């Protein structure tokens, strides 16, 4: 009997600790939302959005197509239907979905249906992925405002969300990587190679030309 008397408070303590952990996980889930967008090279989109206060993480990957577990090589060939995309995980108490959408559309060229900047083809086209009617309405509002601001036709589509496949590990945080790689500019660390690529691709120059002072990230590179 003494053993059972000892076990009861121990079991109660374990139960209480478990309840606290579960409550913490539930609270964490309630303060995290996801926005998935395609904006050309996923390294660049990831780099831009990981600098935004309230963004917890930005993950490079593939979505929009039908091929399961696609590789970078397969997506690049254009046979999977997937786009290079980024999943933005954010805290809605710190930054709104609308604000993130406004930042996104002003960080790309939404008038270009053939790709983005030096990266051409459907794989690099822009898109906003939505999961419900509320998200769709918000995206429509942001795109309509962008078109009014530019006085040009915005061709970025709003697409139903599909399975998001995380890209290979070497693509994650590429913009700040330290691994030595060989590029057309010679051997460079990933971070330096990324900066050279971004500049050579003309991304920030075009965004600044298109959006002017409203371009949120162009002046940071």
């Amino acid at each position: 009997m003494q053993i059972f008397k000892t076990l009861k408070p121990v079991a109660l303590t374990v139960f209480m600790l478990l309840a606290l952990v579960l409550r913490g996980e539930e609270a964490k889930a309630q303060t995290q939302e996801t926005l998935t967008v395609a904006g050309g090279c996923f390294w660049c989109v990831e780099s831009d959005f990981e600098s935004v206060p309230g963004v917890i993480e930005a993950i490079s990957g593939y979505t929009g197509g039908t091929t399961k577990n696609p590789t970078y090589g397969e997506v690049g060939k254009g046979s999977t239907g997937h786009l290079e995309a980024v999943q933005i995980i954010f805290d809605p108490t710190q930054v709104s979905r609308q604000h993130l959408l406004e930042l996104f559309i002003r960080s790309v060229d939404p008038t270009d249906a053939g790709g983005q900047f030096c990266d051409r083809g459907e794989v690099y086209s822009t898109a906003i992925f939505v999961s419900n009617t509320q998200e769709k309405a918000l995206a429509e509002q942001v795109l309509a405002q962008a078109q009014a601001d530019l006085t040009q036709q915005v061709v970025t589509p709003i697409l139903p969300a599909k399975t998001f496949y995380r890209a290979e590990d070497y693509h994650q945080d590429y913009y700040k990587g330290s691994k030595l790689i060989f590029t057309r500019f010679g051997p460079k660390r990933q971070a330096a190679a990324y900066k050279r690529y971004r500049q050579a691709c003309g991304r920030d120059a075009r965004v600044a030309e298109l959006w002017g002072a409203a371009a949120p990230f162009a002046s940071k590179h």
Side-chain angles (χ1 to χ4, degrees):
M1 292 294 294
Q2 185 62 38
I3 294 175
F4 289 109
K5 288 181 180 179
T6 305
L7 284 176
K8 284 183 179 179
V10 172
L12 180 61
T13 301
V14 170
F15 177 79
M16 291 176 65
L17 288 173
L18 181 61
L20 287 172
V21 170
L22 291 173
R23 189 177 301 171
E25 288 299 316
E26 182 180 352
K28 181 180 178 182
Q30 290 175 346
T31 56
Q32 287 188 9
E33 292 185 15
T34 299
L35 168 64
T36 302
V37 294
C41 171
F42 49 24
W43 297 341
C44 298
V45 180
E46 181 185 349
S47 168
D48 288 344
F49 280 90
E50 286 196 338
S51 71
V52 176
V55 170
I56 299 164
E57 185 180 13
I59 303 168
S60 291
Y62 318 109
T63 195
T66 55
T67 300
K68 294 182 179 179
N69 302 309
T71 66
Y72 180 68
E74 290 172 339
V75 173
K77 291 177 182 177
S79 59
T80 65
H82 290 296
L83 308 181
E84 282 201 9
V86 172
Q87 193 173 73
I88 302 166
I89 302 170
F90 65 98
D91 182 345
T93 67
Q94 296 185 40
V95 62
S96 69
R97 181 178 299 272
Q98 178 173 341
H99 183 57
L100 290 175
L101 284 170
E102 290 168 347
L103 292 177
F104 166 70
I105 208 64
R106 287 164 179 76
S107 68
V108 296
D109 181 352
T111 68
D112 187 350
Q116 285 292 285
F117 319 108
C118 68
D119 294 315
R120 310 312 301 164
E122 183 180 6
V123 172
Y124 296 106
S125 59
T126 60
I128 298 170
F129 296 90
V130 298
S131 299
N132 53 52
T133 54
Q134 184 177 0
E135 290 182 6
K136 182 180 179 182
L138 185 59
E140 288 174 340
Q141 176 186 329
V142 169
L143 291 182
Q145 184 61 56
Q147 183 160 295
D149 290 344
L150 291 175
T151 63
Q152 298 181 52
Q153 184 179 5
V154 167
V155 297
T156 298
I158 301 170
L159 303 175
K162 291 188 175 183
T163 302
F164 179 87
Y165 296 97
R166 182 186 177 96
E168 295 83 345
D169 287 346
Y170 67 86
H171 287 300
Q172 309 303 327
D173 293 325
Y174 189 94
Y175 70 97
K176 56 184 178 182
S178 59
K179 183 179 178 180
L180 186 65
I181 59 172
F182 291 92
T183 73
R184 59 178 172 146
F185 309 113
K188 291 188 176 296
R189 299 292 177 183
Q190 280 180 324
Y194 164 76
K195 288 180 181 179
R196 287 296 298 271
Y197 153 75
R198 183 162 181 150
Q199 183 179 24
C201 199
R203 185 182 187 100
D204 297 304
R206 173 56 180 157
V207 169
E209 176 188 10
L210 194 64
W211 292 104
F217 308 114
S219 63
K220 297 180 180 180
H221 300 279

